[in-house]
Amino acid sequence: MIYLEYLLEASSGGMRCPSWVDDGGYWQGTDHTMIGATRSNPEFHIPSTVNRLTAAELETRQVAIHNANPMQRRNDADDGWQNMTEAEVRAAIQNWVAER
């Protein structure tokens, strides 16, 4: 898989995920970029302005975003929300990568 940091595209129906992203819409950054994945051997052109990330670079990006704006998870005790730890963020990213 290729991991991509991209921006949504404007269309007549509103903003949408680009057609060259197979699985997208994850983890919006403060710059409005999102994360997605596509096949390692795409049959289409991915614009050169799109950042291609390794799994390690993706994890580093998410930890940096988390440090500025903590990711949250459901709190089983009271069904509320609580900040994730850095270890939980790393595990979530690693699990997402492994699933793809």
Side-chain angles (χ1 to χ4, degrees):
M1 293 299 271
I2 300 171
Y3 308 109
L4 306 168
E5 182 182 49
Y6 65 92
L7 290 167
L8 295 175
E9 294 180 338
S11 71
S12 59
M15 301 302 284
R16 67 176 190 84
C17 187
S19 59
W20 35 264
V21 176
D22 290 328
D23 182 18
Y26 299 91
W27 306 302
Q28 183 172 336
T30 56
D31 59 355
H32 304 290
T33 58
M34 302 192 86
I35 294 296
T38 195
R39 297 177 293 271
S40 292
N41 224 358
E43 298 176 5
F44 39 80
H45 173 73
I46 298 172
S48 61
T49 56
V50 173
N51 290 331
R52 297 169 190 236
L53 304 173
T54 65
E57 290 168 333
L58 172 56
E59 189 174 321
T60 298
R61 174 195 189 264
Q62 290 313 118
V63 168
I65 289 172
H66 171 70
N67 288 335
N69 186 23
M71 293 174 66
Q72 296 190 319
R73 66 173 174 82
R74 294 293 265 181
N75 180 344
D76 295 333
D78 63 7
D79 206 30
W81 292 93
Q82 71 182 49
N83 291 348
M84 296 171 71
T85 65
E86 183 177 318
E88 289 172 324
V89 171
R90 289 183 184 280
I93 301 309
Q94 291 165 4
N95 290 339
W96 185 85
V97 167
E99 290 171 2
R100 273 138 199 89

